[in-house]
Amino acid sequence: ARALPVDVTLLLSGSAAERLALALGPDNTAHLGRVCVIGPTTAAATRAVGLPVHDVAEPYSVEGLLYLI
């Protein structure tokens, strides 16, 4: 958590969201900036572990994710 805060957090998988949530704990989610995910499955997994989702890539690809930032 020493690298926080950041402007944007990119998540490409549900497992990445799970690991991030475990590493941060519930008190540091505000420091993630805008949370952008690669698709609806990752968005659902991210929300399920208590992290916010601000944007979902369209199309559901790395290119779509990079377009968001």
Side-chain angles (χ1 to χ4, degrees):
R2 286 183 280 227
L4 297 175
V6 296
D7 294 326
V8 178
T9 299
L10 303 178
L11 293 171
L12 281 74
S13 70
S15 61
E18 291 169 6
R19 287 183 178 91
L20 180 61
L22 283 173
L24 288 179
D27 298 331
N28 289 314
T29 60
H31 301 292
L32 295 175
R34 205 169 101 233
V35 178
C36 302
V37 299
I38 198 163
T41 303
T42 303
T46 301
R47 290 183 182 110
V49 296
L51 298 177
V53 174
H54 299 100
D55 292 299
V56 178
E58 185 70 42
Y60 310 142
S61 66
V62 172
E63 181 179 88
L65 192 58
L66 293 175
Y67 181 76
L68 292 174
I69 59 171

